[in-house]
Amino acid sequence: MADARRHGALAGQLFLPAEGAMVTARITQSTEPARQAREAARLLLAG
C-alpha cells in the first residue's frame, strides 16, 4: 500500500509540470516547454 501512495504522489508531482508545459506550449506555439518539463521530470525521478 505504501508503494501505491508513493506512486500516486509521484504521478501528481509529474502531472503539474506536464499540464503547465501543455498550457504554455499552446500559448507560445513552441515545443520548448515540453522539453523543459521532460528535463524537470528526469531530474525528479533521478532523485
Side-chain angles (χ1 to χ4, degrees):
M1 193 64 146
D3 275 348
R5 275 187 241 120
R6 186 172 58 226
H7 290 296
L10 180 58
Q13 291 169 340
L14 293 174
F15 176 76
L16 187 58
E19 183 165 10
M22 288 185 276
V23 170
T24 304
R26 173 83 181 206
I27 292 168
T28 63
Q29 298 293 300
S30 169
T31 58
E32 184 58 27
R35 283 190 272 282
Q36 292 174 345
R38 181 179 57 218
E39 179 62 13
R42 187 187 68 75
L43 293 171
L44 180 63
L45 292 171

